Structure formats: structure tokens, C-alpha cells
Amino acid sequence: MRIKYNVAVVGAGLSGSLVARRLADAGLKVTLFEKDRSSGGRLKNLLLDSQPVDIGVPHLPGGSELLTTLKQQWLDAGVITPWPVDIYDFHNNGEPFTKQQKTLYLGTNYQAQVTEALIQDIDLVCDTRVISAVAEDGWYLRCDQEETHGPYDFLIMALPAPKVALLLKEFPGLQAMARNVHYIPCWMSVLEFEEPLNPGFDVAHASDRFNGFPGQNPLYMLIHHNNKPSRSAGKDTWSVYWCARESVEYKDVSSDEVSERSLRALEQLLDRPLPAAQVHNHHWLYCQSFDQLNENSYYLDSDIHMGLCGDWFEPGGLAGAVASAEGLADALLKTLPR
């Protein structure tokens, strides 16, 4: 029988939630720390009139055998649901848009249901920002509310690289590694219209994610929230995501300017005036890393009892985060004494 280990996992996005689930299933005692009020990370949602609206990853990606297997498990458990939808793909090379029907997969009522299902019986400490991690005969986590948690036998950080760097002051080599990872940010806006837009599609995206829609339009994706399965909203609600070029160029602008640019970009794309709208913006500062550490899909140091995971080790966005989490969990469980 495995020795009971006490593990702290910092970050309750998909990567941290997967690691926590794997370790808890193996009999380890796991405590999960999250700075927000609930789990989710890039699967988070915004509450509008008490209804959740997805503001992170708009659907679960495909492309990896591991993620395909997990999606089937979540589908069987009722955690996610299919969305057969026509996707309009706009090209920047002068060709007309193409339409293709695909089946996208979403959290049944909101995206963060995936992480909630993974950690439903795991100790979750929310609204708690870890500000330092100290190794003193075990790991101690010092938090923003002047609380200290610990000791823990093992520490796992499932955070963006810049946040990891802030916590690793005692380990300059690891801190330098994390500081060398850079990210592309992403602005997104939720637009609530008083009247239906009826553009003729529910999902549209640009084939060129970096440059966005044709005509130097700052957007690269539009999603109609109302037509997602099991979603509801009092107004005609759309989620729009900025392309990488615009998100980098305008990363420091005000929320008011983001609102104005999102509305004008959608007006340009539809080629008609828009009805009155309320706009809610979110800035994903660490949307996608472009300096992945490809030596391994994770970091594990058995001497100091610490592991790191996330999409900055494995390319592919959310799919990379999943692969990194599973790789770290497998490696860690192999090192622990029985």
C-alpha cells in the first residue's frame, strides 16, 4: 500500500485539476489552491443575470489521443455535451469563406463543469492567492490573507510561467527558466445586444489566428452564446476573441477602448450597424505560450519534492496543458515509495 503523501497543488485550472484527480485516485491526500472563487482557469465563465457565459476556451479542442479519451469519459458522465454546428472559416488570401459542419464539445452548462467534476471530492481552498512557497522540512505556502498552509510533502504548481517565477525565489535556476517563457495575451469581449444580430452563423473564425479576419479586422473568432447547448441568456449574447496581433499591440489599453474596438470590428465584419449593446471584457494575459520547454512535458524534481506542469512545457494550448498534467502525474506516482 502506498505511503500517505500530503500534496499541495497550486492552480485549479484544467492542468491542476487533472493532476489533483490522478493523485487523489492513487490514495494521496491532496489540497488544491485557487486564487479565484472557483476552479476553471481558462475554462472560466462570467455570470450575467445569474447565467454563466463562457469567456475562456470556447470549446474543448481535439487533436490528441489523450484528450479524446478524456472527452469520451466526460461525455459518458454527462460532464460535457456535443454541439453540432456550422463553422464559417474566413480566409485572408482573398478566397471566400468556407462552411463546414463540425461537432464541438462543451461543458454541459458551462465550461468549468469539467474542472468541478474532476475535483468534486478534493479539498479546494478558493479565494486564496499563494504569494510564496518555502521549503522548510516540508513545503509551506504563504498566502495573501496572511495565512500559512503546510507542511506538505510535495508541491505542484500548475500555473503560467511568470506566476511560477514569482514563487520560486529560493530556486534561482528554476526561476530563470520560468522567466524565459513568454506569452501572447488575448482580449475577449462578451457583447449583449438588445436585438438579435442574426448574421447567419453561430461560429465564425479566421484561418489566420495571428492576423484575424480579412481587412485588418482585430477579431479572430465569434461564438453565439445563446445557441450553445443548455445555455440561456436574456439578451442576444456573443463572445468575440481578438487576434494575437491586436492583443499584443493593444495589451495595455483601457477596457473602454477594448469595448469600442470590439463593437467596431464586429460592425465591420457584418458590414452593417449594430443594435445597442452592453460589453464585458476580459484580458487573458497568459493566453498562449510560445517558448515551450520541449525537453519534457513537465518538470519534476524528486530531491526537493516539487513538480511543475502547464502548456509552457507542452505545445498545443489546452491540449498541451492536459498532456503536461498527465505526464507529471505518471512520473510522480512512479517515484513515490509504496
Side-chain angles (χ1 to χ4, degrees):
M1 181 177 179
R2 190 181 299 279
I3 295 174
K4 192 76 169 182
Y5 258 63
N6 189 12
V7 181
V9 179
V10 182
L14 184 55
S15 191
S17 298
L18 277 169
V19 169
R21 177 76 275 149
R22 287 287 310 280
L23 299 184
D25 285 347
L28 281 66
K29 176 176 172 52
V30 179
T31 304
L32 188 57
F33 291 86
E34 172 56 45
K35 65 178 178 59
D36 289 334
R37 289 176 293 177
S38 59
S39 67
R42 280 176 291 174
L43 298 178
K44 75 188 300 182
N45 59 77
L46 175 70
L47 283 179
L48 296 177
D49 296 326
S50 302
Q51 298 295 326
V53 177
D54 303 320
I55 62 172
V57 177
H59 59 87
L60 296 176
S64 79
E65 183 177 345
L66 172 59
L67 191 51
T68 299
T69 300
L70 287 171
K71 284 197 295 187
Q72 187 59 55
Q73 294 173 2
W74 297 333
L75 190 63
D76 293 342
V79 174
I80 65 173
T81 190
W83 183 22
V85 63
D86 288 333
I87 298 179
Y88 286 71
D89 191 354
F90 287 78
H91 304 275
N92 265 319
N93 58 6
E95 297 179 2
F97 68 80
T98 56
K99 181 177 76 171
Q100 183 179 7
Q101 185 174 76
K102 292 185 178 180
T103 298
L104 307 179
Y105 291 90
L106 320 167
T108 299
N109 295 297
Y110 49 90
Q111 290 286 65
Q113 275 186 270
V114 174
T115 54
E116 289 178 2
L118 286 168
I119 64 172
Q120 58 184 336
D121 57 351
I122 293 173
D123 290 337
L124 175 63
V125 182
C126 289
D127 271 329
T128 301
R129 185 186 299 272
V130 176
I131 59 175
S132 69
V134 181
E136 297 175 349
D137 192 23
W139 283 98
Y140 290 85
L141 304 182
R142 294 171 182 162
C143 303
D144 55 353
Q145 299 175 357
E146 299 184 356
E147 298 176 342
T148 298
H149 297 262
Y152 297 99
D153 301 309
F154 215 99
L155 171 64
I156 291 174
M157 286 187 274
L159 299 169
K163 294 186 178 182
V164 168
L166 291 175
L167 300 179
L168 290 180
K169 296 176 182 178
E170 293 188 2
F171 303 93
L174 290 176
Q175 188 178 52
M177 176 186 73
R179 282 177 172 167
N180 283 331
V181 178
H182 300 89
Y183 284 80
I184 297 173
C186 179
W187 278 109
M188 70 84 55
S189 300
V190 175
L191 311 177
E192 295 185 287
F193 293 98
E194 299 291 344
E195 303 170 17
L197 283 188
N198 296 323
F201 55 78
D202 290 317
V203 179
H205 68 76
S207 57
D208 184 349
R209 176 172 180 171
F210 184 83
N211 289 303
F213 288 113
Q216 294 293 300
N217 193 293
L219 306 179
Y220 90 90
M221 181 178 288
L222 289 74
I223 304 278
H224 192 197
H225 170 78
N226 301 61
N227 280 6
K228 285 183 174 182
S230 303
R231 266 61 166 184
S232 61
K235 300 176 182 179
D236 194 37
T237 303
W238 289 78
S239 299
V240 302
Y241 297 80
W242 286 30
C243 68
R245 170 181 53 80
E246 291 279 323
S247 291
V248 170
E249 184 175 352
Y250 293 94
K251 65 182 178 67
D252 297 321
V253 299
S254 69
S255 183
D256 287 343
E257 185 171 346
V258 172
S259 298
E260 180 67 20
R261 291 184 66 80
S262 291
L263 288 168
R264 298 292 76 81
L266 184 55
E267 195 170 63
Q268 174 195 342
L269 186 68
L270 300 183
D271 195 26
R272 57 182 167 88
L274 300 176
Q278 287 184 294
V279 185
H280 313 269
N281 302 309
H282 187 81
H283 194 203
W284 291 100
L285 187 58
Y286 308 117
C287 179
Q288 183 176 0
S289 64
F290 58 90
D291 295 312
Q292 285 93 0
L293 306 178
N294 290 316
E295 294 84 358
N296 288 300
S297 65
Y298 58 88
Y299 177 86
L300 176 64
D301 190 326
S302 299
D303 292 330
I304 62 173
H305 289 199
M306 185 183 67
L308 308 172
C309 62
D311 64 355
W312 50 293
F313 289 98
E314 181 78 15
L318 205 66
V322 168
S324 179
E326 291 287 329
L328 176 58
D330 285 340
L332 174 56
L333 290 172
K334 289 176 182 177
T335 67
L336 297 183
R338 295 179 179 273

